[in-house]
Coordinates of all heavy atoms in Angstrom, one line a residue:
M1 N -38.3 -27.8 40.6 CA -36.9 -28.1 40.5 C -36.2 -27.1 39.5 O -36.8 -26.8 38.5 CB -36.7 -29.5 40.0 CG -35.3 -29.9 39.7 SD -35.2 -31.6 39.3 CE -33.6 -31.9 39.8
H2 N -35.1 -26.6 39.9 CA -34.4 -25.6 39.1 C -33.5 -26.3 38.0 O -32.9 -27.3 38.3 CB -33.5 -24.7 39.9 CG -34.2 -23.9 40.9 ND1 -34.9 -22.7 40.4 CD2 -34.5 -24.0 42.2 CE1 -35.5 -22.2 41.5 NE2 -35.3 -22.9 42.5
G3 N -33.6 -25.8 36.8 CA -32.7 -26.3 35.8 C -31.3 -25.7 35.9 O -31.0 -24.8 36.7
L4 N -30.4 -26.3 35.2 CA -29.0 -25.8 35.3 C -28.8 -24.3 35.0 O -28.1 -23.6 35.7 CB -28.1 -26.6 34.3 CG -26.6 -26.3 34.2 CD1 -26.0 -26.6 35.5 CD2 -26.0 -27.1 33.1
F5 N -29.6 -23.8 34.0 CA -29.5 -22.4 33.7 C -30.0 -21.6 34.9 O -29.3 -20.6 35.2 CB -30.4 -22.1 32.5 CG -30.2 -20.7 32.1 CD1 -29.1 -20.3 31.3 CD2 -31.2 -19.8 32.4 CE1 -29.0 -19.0 30.9 CE2 -31.1 -18.5 32.0 CZ -30.0 -18.1 31.2
E6 N -31.0 -22.0 35.6 CA -31.5 -21.2 36.7 C -30.5 -21.2 37.9 O -30.4 -20.2 38.6 CB -32.9 -21.7 37.1 CG -33.9 -21.5 36.1 CD -35.2 -22.2 36.5 OE1 -35.2 -23.4 36.7 OE2 -36.3 -21.6 36.5
L7 N -29.9 -22.3 38.1 CA -28.9 -22.4 39.2 C -27.8 -21.5 39.0 O -27.2 -21.0 40.0 CB -28.4 -23.9 39.3 CG -29.4 -24.9 39.8 CD1 -28.8 -26.3 39.8 CD2 -29.9 -24.5 41.2
H8 N -27.4 -21.2 37.8 CA -26.2 -20.3 37.6 C -26.6 -19.0 37.0 O -25.8 -18.3 36.4 CB -25.3 -21.1 36.6 CG -24.7 -22.3 37.1 ND1 -23.8 -22.4 38.1 CD2 -25.1 -23.6 36.9 CE1 -23.5 -23.6 38.4 NE2 -24.3 -24.4 37.7
A9 N -27.8 -18.6 37.1 CA -28.3 -17.4 36.5 C -27.6 -16.1 37.0 O -27.6 -15.1 36.3 CB -29.8 -17.3 36.7
H10 N -27.1 -16.1 38.2 CA -26.4 -14.9 38.7 C -24.9 -14.9 38.5 O -24.2 -14.0 39.0 CB -26.8 -14.8 40.2 CG -28.2 -14.5 40.4 ND1 -28.9 -13.4 40.0 CD2 -29.2 -15.3 40.9 CE1 -30.2 -13.5 40.2 NE2 -30.4 -14.7 40.8
H11 N -24.4 -15.9 37.9 CA -23.0 -16.0 37.6 C -22.7 -15.0 36.5 O -23.4 -15.0 35.5 CB -22.6 -17.4 37.2 CG -21.1 -17.6 37.0 ND1 -20.4 -17.2 35.9 CD2 -20.2 -18.1 37.9 CE1 -19.2 -17.5 36.0 NE2 -19.0 -18.0 37.2
P12 N -21.7 -14.1 36.6 CA -21.4 -13.1 35.6 C -21.2 -13.7 34.2 O -21.6 -13.1 33.2 CB -20.1 -12.4 36.1 CG -20.0 -12.8 37.5 CD -20.7 -14.1 37.7
G13 N -20.5 -14.8 34.1 CA -20.3 -15.4 32.8 C -21.6 -15.8 32.1 O -21.7 -15.7 30.9
V14 N -22.5 -16.3 32.9 CA -23.8 -16.8 32.3 C -24.6 -15.6 31.8 O -25.2 -15.7 30.7 CB -24.6 -17.6 33.4 CG1 -26.0 -17.9 32.9 CG2 -23.8 -18.9 33.8
D15 N -24.6 -14.5 32.5 CA -25.3 -13.3 32.0 C -24.7 -12.9 30.6 O -25.5 -12.6 29.7 CB -25.2 -12.2 33.0 CG -26.1 -12.5 34.2 OD1 -27.0 -13.3 34.1 OD2 -25.8 -11.9 35.3
H16 N -23.4 -12.9 30.5 CA -22.8 -12.6 29.2 C -23.2 -13.6 28.1 O -23.5 -13.2 27.0 CB -21.3 -12.5 29.4 CG -20.5 -12.2 28.1 ND1 -20.6 -11.0 27.5 CD2 -19.8 -13.0 27.3 CE1 -19.9 -11.1 26.4 NE2 -19.4 -12.3 26.3
Q17 N -23.1 -14.9 28.5 CA -23.5 -15.9 27.5 C -24.9 -15.8 27.1 O -25.3 -15.9 25.9 CB -23.2 -17.3 28.1 CG -21.7 -17.6 28.2 CD -21.5 -18.9 28.9 OE1 -22.4 -19.5 29.5 NE2 -20.3 -19.4 28.9
R18 N -25.8 -15.5 28.0 CA -27.2 -15.3 27.7 C -27.4 -14.2 26.8 O -28.2 -14.3 25.8 CB -28.0 -15.1 29.0 CG -29.5 -15.0 28.7 CD -30.4 -14.7 29.9 NE -30.0 -15.4 31.1 CZ -29.8 -14.9 32.3 NH1 -29.9 -13.6 32.5 NH2 -29.5 -15.6 33.3
Q19 N -26.7 -13.0 27.0 CA -26.9 -11.9 26.2 C -26.3 -12.2 24.8 O -26.9 -11.8 23.8 CB -26.1 -10.7 26.8 CG -26.3 -9.4 26.0 CD -27.8 -9.0 26.0 OE1 -28.4 -8.9 27.0 NE2 -28.3 -8.7 24.8
C20 N -25.2 -12.8 24.7 CA -24.6 -13.2 23.4 C -25.6 -14.1 22.6 O -25.8 -13.9 21.4 CB -23.3 -13.9 23.5 SG -22.0 -12.8 24.0
H21 N -26.2 -15.1 23.3 CA -27.2 -16.0 22.7 C -28.4 -15.2 22.2 O -28.8 -15.4 21.0 CB -27.6 -17.0 23.7 CG -28.6 -18.0 23.1 ND1 -28.2 -19.0 22.3 CD2 -29.9 -18.1 23.3 CE1 -29.3 -19.7 21.9 NE2 -30.4 -19.2 22.6
Q22 N -28.9 -14.3 23.0 CA -30.0 -13.5 22.6 C -29.7 -12.6 21.4 O -30.4 -12.4 20.5 CB -30.6 -12.6 23.8 CG -31.2 -13.5 24.8 CD -31.5 -12.7 26.1 OE1 -31.0 -11.6 26.3 NE2 -32.3 -13.3 27.0
D23 N -28.5 -11.9 21.5 CA -28.0 -11.1 20.4 C -27.9 -11.8 19.1 O -28.3 -11.4 18.0 CB -26.7 -10.4 20.7 CG -26.8 -9.4 21.8 OD1 -27.9 -9.0 22.1 OD2 -25.7 -8.9 22.3
H24 N -27.4 -13.1 19.2 CA -27.2 -13.9 18.0 C -28.5 -14.2 17.3 O -28.7 -14.1 16.1 CB -26.5 -15.2 18.3 CG -26.4 -16.2 17.2 ND1 -25.6 -16.0 16.1 CD2 -27.1 -17.3 17.0 CE1 -25.8 -17.0 15.3 NE2 -26.7 -17.8 15.8
H25 N -29.5 -14.5 18.1 CA -30.8 -14.8 17.5 C -31.6 -13.6 17.1 O -32.6 -13.7 16.3 CB -31.6 -15.7 18.5 CG -31.1 -17.1 18.6 ND1 -31.3 -18.0 17.6 CD2 -30.3 -17.7 19.5 CE1 -30.7 -19.1 17.9 NE2 -30.1 -19.0 19.1
R26 N -31.3 -12.4 17.6 CA -31.9 -11.2 17.1 C -31.1 -10.6 15.9 O -31.5 -9.6 15.4 CB -31.9 -10.2 18.2 CG -33.0 -10.4 19.2 CD -33.3 -9.1 20.0 NE -32.1 -8.7 20.7 CZ -31.7 -8.9 22.0 NH1 -32.6 -9.7 22.7 NH2 -30.6 -8.5 22.5
G27 N -30.0 -11.2 15.6 CA -29.2 -10.7 14.5 C -28.5 -9.4 14.8 O -28.2 -8.6 13.9
S28 N -28.1 -9.3 16.1 CA -27.4 -8.1 16.5 C -25.9 -8.4 16.7 O -25.2 -7.7 17.4 CB -28.0 -7.5 17.7 OG -27.9 -8.4 18.8
G29 N -25.4 -9.4 16.0 CA -24.0 -9.8 16.1 C -23.2 -8.9 15.1 O -23.6 -7.8 14.7
A30 N -22.0 -9.4 14.8 CA -21.1 -8.6 13.9 C -21.7 -8.3 12.6 O -21.3 -7.3 12.0 CB -19.8 -9.4 13.8
L31 N -22.6 -9.1 12.1 CA -23.1 -8.9 10.7 C -24.5 -8.2 10.7 O -25.1 -8.1 9.7 CB -23.3 -10.2 10.0 CG -22.0 -11.0 9.9 CD1 -22.3 -12.4 9.1 CD2 -20.9 -10.3 9.2
R32 N -24.9 -7.7 11.9 CA -26.2 -7.1 12.1 C -26.6 -6.1 11.0 O -27.6 -6.1 10.4 CB -26.4 -6.5 13.4 CG -27.7 -5.7 13.7 CD -27.7 -5.0 15.0 NE -26.6 -4.1 15.1 CZ -26.0 -3.7 16.2 NH1 -26.5 -4.1 17.3 NH2 -25.0 -2.9 16.2
D33 N -25.7 -5.1 10.7 CA -26.0 -4.0 9.8 C -25.3 -4.2 8.4 O -25.2 -3.3 7.7 CB -25.7 -2.7 10.4 CG -26.5 -2.4 11.6 OD1 -27.7 -2.7 11.6 OD2 -25.9 -1.8 12.6
L34 N -24.8 -5.4 8.2 CA -24.0 -5.6 7.0 C -24.8 -5.3 5.7 O -24.3 -4.6 4.8 CB -23.5 -7.1 6.9 CG -22.6 -7.4 5.8 CD1 -21.4 -6.6 5.8 CD2 -22.3 -8.9 5.8
A35 N -26.0 -5.8 5.5 CA -26.8 -5.5 4.3 C -27.0 -4.0 4.1 O -27.0 -3.6 2.9 CB -28.1 -6.3 4.4
A36 N -27.2 -3.3 5.1 CA -27.4 -1.8 5.0 C -26.1 -1.2 4.6 O -26.1 -0.2 3.8 CB -27.9 -1.2 6.2
Q37 N -25.0 -1.6 5.1 CA -23.7 -1.1 4.9 C -23.0 -1.5 3.5 O -22.3 -0.8 2.9 CB -22.7 -1.4 6.0 CG -23.1 -0.8 7.3 CD -23.2 0.7 7.4 OE1 -22.4 1.4 6.8 NE2 -24.3 1.2 8.0
A38 N -23.4 -2.7 3.1 CA -22.8 -3.3 1.9 C -23.9 -4.1 1.2 O -24.0 -5.3 1.2 CB -21.7 -4.3 2.3
P39 N -24.8 -3.3 0.5 CA -25.9 -4.0 -0.2 C -25.4 -4.8 -1.4 O -24.4 -4.5 -2.0 CB -26.8 -2.8 -0.7 CG -25.9 -1.6 -0.6 CD -24.9 -1.9 0.4
L40 N -26.1 -5.9 -1.6 CA -25.7 -6.8 -2.7 C -26.9 -7.1 -3.6 O -28.1 -7.1 -3.1 CB -25.2 -8.2 -2.2 CG -23.9 -8.2 -1.4 CD1 -23.7 -9.6 -0.9 CD2 -22.8 -7.7 -2.3
P41 N -26.7 -7.3 -4.9 CA -27.9 -7.6 -5.8 C -28.4 -9.0 -5.5 O -27.6 -9.9 -5.0 CB -27.3 -7.5 -7.2 CG -25.8 -7.7 -7.0 CD -25.5 -7.2 -5.6
A42 N -29.6 -9.3 -5.8 CA -30.2 -10.6 -5.6 C -29.4 -11.6 -6.4 O -29.0 -11.3 -7.5 CB -31.7 -10.6 -6.0
G43 N -29.1 -12.7 -5.9 CA -28.4 -13.8 -6.5 C -26.8 -13.6 -6.4 O -26.1 -14.4 -7.0
A44 N -26.4 -12.6 -5.7 CA -24.9 -12.4 -5.6 C -24.3 -13.6 -4.9 O -25.0 -14.2 -4.0 CB -24.6 -11.2 -4.8
W45 N -23.1 -14.0 -5.2 CA -22.4 -15.1 -4.5 C -21.7 -14.5 -3.4 O -21.0 -13.5 -3.5 CB -21.4 -15.7 -5.5 CG -22.0 -16.6 -6.5 CD1 -23.2 -16.5 -7.1 CD2 -21.5 -17.9 -7.0 NE1 -23.4 -17.5 -8.0 CE2 -22.4 -18.4 -7.9 CE3 -20.3 -18.5 -6.7 CZ2 -22.2 -19.6 -8.5 CZ3 -20.1 -19.7 -7.3 CH2 -21.0 -20.3 -8.2
V46 N -21.8 -15.1 -2.2 CA -21.1 -14.7 -1.0 C -20.4 -15.9 -0.4 O -20.9 -17.0 -0.3 CB -22.1 -14.2 0.1 CG1 -21.4 -13.8 1.4 CG2 -22.9 -13.0 -0.5
L47 N -19.1 -15.8 -0.1 CA -18.2 -16.8 0.4 C -17.9 -16.6 1.8 O -17.4 -15.5 2.2 CB -17.0 -16.9 -0.5 CG -15.9 -17.9 0.0 CD1 -16.4 -19.4 -0.1 CD2 -14.6 -17.8 -0.8
D48 N -18.0 -17.6 2.6 CA -17.5 -17.6 4.0 C -16.3 -18.6 4.0 O -16.5 -19.8 4.0 CB -18.6 -18.1 5.0 CG -18.2 -18.1 6.4 OD1 -17.0 -17.7 6.7 OD2 -19.0 -18.4 7.3
A49 N -15.1 -18.0 4.0 CA -13.9 -18.8 4.0 C -13.6 -19.2 5.4 O -13.3 -18.3 6.2 CB -12.8 -18.1 3.3
G50 N -13.5 -20.4 5.7 CA -13.3 -20.9 7.1 C -14.6 -20.9 7.8 O -14.8 -20.3 8.9
C51 N -15.6 -21.5 7.2 CA -17.0 -21.4 7.7 C -17.3 -22.2 9.0 O -18.4 -22.0 9.6 CB -18.0 -21.8 6.6 SG -17.8 -23.5 6.0
G52 N -16.4 -23.1 9.4 CA -16.6 -23.8 10.7 C -17.9 -24.5 10.7 O -18.2 -25.3 9.8
L53 N -18.7 -24.3 11.7 CA -20.0 -25.0 11.9 C -21.1 -24.3 11.2 O -22.2 -24.8 11.1 CB -20.3 -25.1 13.4 CG -19.4 -26.1 14.2 CD1 -19.8 -26.0 15.7 CD2 -19.6 -27.5 13.7
G54 N -20.9 -23.1 10.6 CA -21.9 -22.5 9.8 C -22.6 -21.3 10.4 O -23.5 -20.8 9.9
D55 N -22.1 -20.9 11.6 CA -22.8 -19.7 12.3 C -22.7 -18.5 11.4 O -23.7 -17.7 11.3 CB -22.1 -19.4 13.6 CG -22.4 -20.5 14.6 OD1 -23.4 -21.3 14.5 OD2 -21.6 -20.7 15.5
G56 N -21.6 -18.2 10.7 CA -21.4 -17.1 9.9 C -22.4 -17.2 8.7 O -23.0 -16.2 8.2
L57 N -22.5 -18.4 8.1 CA -23.4 -18.6 7.0 C -24.8 -18.3 7.3 O -25.6 -17.7 6.6 CB -23.2 -20.0 6.4 CG -22.0 -20.2 5.6 CD1 -21.8 -21.7 5.3 CD2 -22.0 -19.5 4.3
K58 N -25.2 -18.7 8.5 CA -26.6 -18.5 9.0 C -26.8 -17.0 9.1 O -27.9 -16.5 8.7 CB -26.8 -19.2 10.3 CG -26.9 -20.7 10.1 CD -26.9 -21.4 11.5 CE -26.8 -22.9 11.3 NZ -26.6 -23.6 12.6
A59 N -25.8 -16.2 9.6 CA -26.0 -14.8 9.8 C -26.0 -14.1 8.4 O -26.8 -13.2 8.2 CB -24.8 -14.2 10.6
L60 N -25.2 -14.6 7.5 CA -25.2 -14.1 6.1 C -26.5 -14.4 5.4 O -27.0 -13.5 4.7 CB -24.0 -14.7 5.3 CG -22.6 -14.2 5.6 CD1 -21.6 -15.1 5.0 CD2 -22.5 -12.7 5.1
R61 N -27.1 -15.5 5.7 CA -28.4 -15.8 5.1 C -29.5 -14.9 5.6 O -30.3 -14.4 4.8 CB -28.8 -17.3 5.4 CG -30.1 -17.7 4.7 CD -30.4 -19.1 5.0 NE -31.5 -19.5 4.1 CZ -32.3 -20.5 4.5 NH1 -32.2 -21.1 5.6 NH2 -33.3 -20.9 3.7
E62 N -29.4 -14.5 6.9 CA -30.3 -13.6 7.4 C -30.1 -12.2 6.8 O -31.1 -11.5 6.5 CB -30.2 -13.5 8.9 CG -31.2 -12.7 9.6 CD -31.1 -12.8 11.1 OE1 -30.9 -13.8 11.7 OE2 -31.3 -11.7 11.8
A63 N -28.9 -11.8 6.6 CA -28.6 -10.5 6.0 C -28.9 -10.4 4.5 O -29.3 -9.4 4.0 CB -27.1 -10.1 6.3
Y64 N -28.6 -11.5 3.8 CA -28.8 -11.6 2.4 C -29.6 -12.8 2.0 O -29.1 -13.8 1.5 CB -27.4 -11.6 1.7 CG -26.5 -10.5 2.0 CD1 -25.3 -10.6 2.8 CD2 -26.7 -9.2 1.5 CE1 -24.5 -9.6 3.0 CE2 -25.9 -8.1 1.7 CZ -24.8 -8.3 2.5 OH -24.0 -7.3 2.8
P65 N -30.9 -12.7 2.2 CA -31.7 -13.9 1.9 C -31.7 -14.3 0.4 O -32.0 -15.5 0.1 CB -33.1 -13.5 2.4 CG -33.1 -12.1 2.5 CD -31.7 -11.6 2.7
A66 N -31.4 -13.4 -0.5 CA -31.5 -13.8 -1.9 C -30.1 -14.1 -2.5 O -30.0 -14.3 -3.7 CB -32.1 -12.6 -2.7
A67 N -29.1 -14.1 -1.6 CA -27.7 -14.4 -2.1 C -27.5 -15.9 -2.2 O -28.2 -16.7 -1.6 CB -26.7 -13.9 -1.1
Q68 N -26.5 -16.3 -3.1 CA -26.1 -17.7 -3.2 C -24.9 -17.8 -2.2 O -23.9 -17.2 -2.5 CB -25.7 -18.0 -4.6 CG -26.9 -18.0 -5.6 CD -26.4 -18.4 -6.9 OE1 -25.6 -19.3 -7.1 NE2 -27.0 -17.7 -7.9
L69 N -25.1 -18.6 -1.2 CA -24.0 -18.7 -0.1 C -23.2 -19.9 -0.3 O -23.7 -21.0 -0.6 CB -24.7 -18.7 1.3 CG -25.5 -17.4 1.6 CD1 -26.2 -17.6 2.9 CD2 -24.6 -16.2 1.6
H70 N -21.9 -19.7 -0.1 CA -20.9 -20.8 -0.2 C -20.0 -20.7 1.0 O -19.7 -19.6 1.5 CB -20.1 -20.6 -1.5 CG -20.9 -20.5 -2.7 ND1 -21.1 -21.7 -3.5 CD2 -21.6 -19.6 -3.3 CE1 -21.9 -21.4 -4.5 NE2 -22.2 -20.1 -4.4
G71 N -19.5 -21.9 1.4 CA -18.6 -22.0 2.5 C -17.4 -22.9 2.2 O -17.6 -23.8 1.5
L72 N -16.3 -22.5 2.8 CA -15.1 -23.4 2.6 C -14.6 -23.7 4.0 O -14.5 -22.8 4.9 CB -14.0 -22.7 1.9 CG -14.3 -22.4 0.4 CD1 -13.1 -21.6 -0.2 CD2 -14.5 -23.7 -0.4
E73 N -14.3 -24.9 4.3 CA -13.7 -25.4 5.6 C -12.7 -26.5 5.3 O -13.0 -27.4 4.6 CB -14.9 -25.8 6.5 CG -14.5 -26.4 7.8 CD -13.6 -25.4 8.6 OE1 -14.0 -24.2 8.8 OE2 -12.5 -25.8 9.0
W74 N -11.6 -26.4 6.0 CA -10.5 -27.4 5.9 C -10.9 -28.7 6.6 O -10.7 -29.8 6.2 CB -9.2 -26.8 6.4 CG -8.1 -27.9 6.3 CD1 -7.5 -28.4 7.4 CD2 -7.5 -28.4 5.2 NE1 -6.5 -29.3 7.0 CE2 -6.5 -29.4 5.6 CE3 -7.7 -28.3 3.8 CZ2 -5.8 -30.1 4.7 CZ3 -6.9 -29.0 2.9 CH2 -6.0 -29.9 3.4
S75 N -11.4 -28.6 7.8 CA -11.7 -29.7 8.7 C -12.9 -30.5 8.1 O -14.0 -30.0 8.0 CB -12.0 -29.2 10.1 OG -12.6 -30.2 10.8
W76 N -12.7 -31.8 7.9 CA -13.8 -32.6 7.4 C -14.9 -32.7 8.3 O -16.1 -32.5 7.9 CB -13.3 -34.1 7.1 CG -12.7 -34.2 5.7 CD1 -11.3 -34.4 5.4 CD2 -13.3 -34.2 4.5 NE1 -11.1 -34.4 4.1 CE2 -12.4 -34.3 3.4 CE3 -14.7 -34.0 4.1 CZ2 -12.7 -34.3 2.1 CZ3 -15.0 -34.0 2.7 CH2 -14.0 -34.2 1.8
P77 N -14.7 -32.9 9.6 CA -15.9 -32.9 10.6 C -16.6 -31.6 10.6 O -17.9 -31.6 10.6 CB -15.2 -33.2 11.9 CG -13.9 -33.9 11.6 CD -13.4 -33.3 10.3
L78 N -15.9 -30.5 10.6 CA -16.6 -29.2 10.6 C -17.4 -29.0 9.3 O -18.5 -28.5 9.3 CB -15.7 -28.1 10.9 CG -15.1 -28.0 12.3 CD1 -14.1 -26.8 12.4 CD2 -16.1 -27.9 13.4
R79 N -16.7 -29.3 8.2 CA -17.3 -29.2 6.9 C -18.6 -30.0 6.8 O -19.7 -29.5 6.4 CB -16.4 -29.6 5.8 CG -16.9 -29.4 4.4 CD -16.8 -30.7 3.6 NE -17.5 -30.7 2.4 CZ -18.8 -31.2 2.3 NH1 -19.4 -31.7 3.3 NH2 -19.4 -31.1 1.2
W80 N -18.6 -31.2 7.3 CA -19.8 -32.1 7.3 C -20.9 -31.5 8.2 O -22.0 -31.5 7.8 CB -19.3 -33.5 7.8 CG -20.4 -34.5 7.8 CD1 -21.0 -35.1 6.7 CD2 -21.1 -35.0 8.9 NE1 -22.0 -36.0 7.1 CE2 -22.1 -35.9 8.5 CE3 -21.0 -34.7 10.3 CZ2 -22.9 -36.5 9.4 CZ3 -21.9 -35.4 11.2 CH2 -22.8 -36.3 10.7
M81 N -20.5 -31.1 9.4 CA -21.5 -30.5 10.3 C -22.1 -29.2 9.7 O -23.3 -29.0 9.8 CB -20.9 -30.2 11.7 CG -20.5 -31.4 12.4 SD -22.0 -32.5 12.8 CE -22.8 -31.4 14.0
C82 N -21.3 -28.4 9.1 CA -21.8 -27.2 8.4 C -22.8 -27.5 7.3 O -23.8 -26.9 7.2 CB -20.6 -26.3 7.9 SG -21.1 -24.8 7.2
A83 N -22.4 -28.5 6.5 CA -23.3 -28.9 5.4 C -24.6 -29.4 5.9 O -25.7 -29.1 5.3 CB -22.6 -30.0 4.5
L84 N -24.6 -30.1 7.0 CA -25.9 -30.5 7.6 C -26.7 -29.4 8.2 O -27.9 -29.4 8.0 CB -25.6 -31.5 8.8 CG -25.2 -32.9 8.3 CD1 -24.8 -33.8 9.6 CD2 -26.2 -33.6 7.5
S85 N -26.1 -28.4 8.8 CA -26.8 -27.3 9.4 C -27.2 -26.2 8.4 O -28.0 -25.3 8.7 CB -26.1 -26.8 10.6 OG -24.9 -26.1 10.2
C86 N -26.5 -26.2 7.3 CA -26.8 -25.1 6.3 C -27.0 -25.8 4.9 O -26.3 -25.6 4.0 CB -25.6 -24.2 6.2 SG -25.1 -23.4 7.7
P87 N -28.1 -26.6 4.8 CA -28.3 -27.3 3.5 C -28.6 -26.4 2.3 O -28.5 -26.8 1.2 CB -29.6 -28.2 3.8 CG -30.3 -27.5 4.9 CD -29.2 -26.8 5.7
W88 N -28.9 -25.1 2.5 CA -29.2 -24.2 1.5 C -27.9 -23.5 0.9 O -27.9 -22.8 0.0 CB -30.1 -23.1 2.0 CG -29.9 -22.8 3.5 CD1 -30.7 -23.3 4.5 CD2 -28.9 -22.1 4.1 NE1 -30.1 -22.9 5.7 CE2 -29.0 -22.1 5.5 CE3 -27.8 -21.3 3.6 CZ2 -28.2 -21.5 6.4 CZ3 -27.0 -20.7 4.5 CH2 -27.2 -20.8 5.9
A89 N -26.7 -23.9 1.5 CA -25.4 -23.3 1.1 C -24.6 -24.4 0.5 O -24.8 -25.6 0.8 CB -24.7 -22.7 2.3
Q90 N -23.7 -24.1 -0.4 CA -22.7 -25.0 -1.0 C -21.5 -25.0 -0.2 O -20.9 -23.9 0.0 CB -22.4 -24.6 -2.4 CG -23.6 -24.6 -3.4 CD -24.1 -26.0 -3.6 OE1 -23.3 -26.9 -3.8 NE2 -25.4 -26.1 -3.5
I91 N -21.1 -26.1 0.4 CA -20.0 -26.2 1.3 C -18.9 -27.1 0.7 O -19.2 -28.2 0.3 CB -20.4 -26.8 2.7 CG1 -21.7 -26.1 3.3 CG2 -19.2 -26.7 3.7 CD1 -21.5 -24.6 3.5
G92 N -17.7 -26.6 0.6 CA -16.6 -27.3 0.1 C -15.4 -27.4 1.1 O -15.5 -26.7 2.1
R93 N -14.5 -28.2 0.7 CA -13.3 -28.3 1.6 C -12.1 -27.6 0.9 O -11.8 -27.9 -0.2 CB -13.0 -29.8 1.8 CG -11.8 -30.0 2.8 CD -11.7 -31.4 3.2 NE -10.7 -31.6 4.3 CZ -9.5 -32.1 4.0 NH1 -9.2 -32.6 2.8 NH2 -8.6 -32.2 5.0
A94 N -11.4 -26.8 1.6 CA -10.3 -26.1 1.1 C -9.5 -25.5 2.3 O -10.0 -25.2 3.4 CB -10.7 -24.9 0.2
H95 N -8.2 -25.4 2.0 CA -7.3 -24.7 3.0 C -7.2 -23.3 2.7 O -6.9 -22.9 1.6 CB -5.9 -25.4 2.9 CG -4.9 -24.9 3.9 ND1 -5.1 -25.1 5.3 CD2 -3.8 -24.1 3.8 CE1 -4.1 -24.5 5.9 NE2 -3.3 -23.9 5.1
V96 N -7.6 -22.5 3.6 CA -7.7 -21.0 3.4 C -6.8 -20.3 4.4 O -6.5 -20.7 5.5 CB -9.1 -20.4 3.5 CG1 -9.9 -20.9 2.3 CG2 -9.8 -20.8 4.8

């Protein structure tokens, strides 16, 4: 039996989504070379203003594993979900 992904494997949008998903997990997104381009000392504070669900914080953690990561999000539900998915970061609520 074919899964949903297999049934739509030849749809152009699915190929793009699959590539984006693979790129995200390989760290080849927008922040891929950030640490090389903008090195930070260990323990530096990094803020993701408008952190949403925490995808940017996860990429920042990969780029800067020794940094102290902080996120700000206005939406209570998004802030709560981000705090759950990024327990190693300090997440606050603010309008940015």
Side-chain angles (χ1 to χ4, degrees):
M1 177 174 204
H2 293 283
L4 180 62
F5 184 77
E6 293 173 304
L7 290 175
H8 298 285
H10 297 293
H11 187 277
V14 171
D15 289 335
H16 175 73
Q17 289 174 348
R18 182 185 317 132
Q19 186 62 48
C20 288
H21 180 76
Q22 291 169 349
D23 288 349
H24 172 74
H25 287 286
R26 281 197 303 262
S28 62
L31 303 180
R32 174 186 54 205
D33 297 324
L34 183 61
Q37 300 299 319
L40 294 176
W45 283 38
V46 178
L47 173 66
D48 182 358
C51 58
L53 292 172
D55 292 334
L57 285 168
K58 292 172 186 172
L60 285 166
R61 185 178 190 209
E62 188 173 318
Y64 300 110
Q68 295 183 38
L69 300 176
H70 301 265
L72 294 176
E73 177 54 52
W74 176 250
S75 164
W76 276 108
L78 292 178
R79 184 233 165 264
W80 181 75
M81 292 298 293
C82 182
L84 286 176
S85 68
C86 303
W88 32 261
Q90 297 295 313
I91 312 300
R93 184 170 185 253
H95 183 66
V96 293

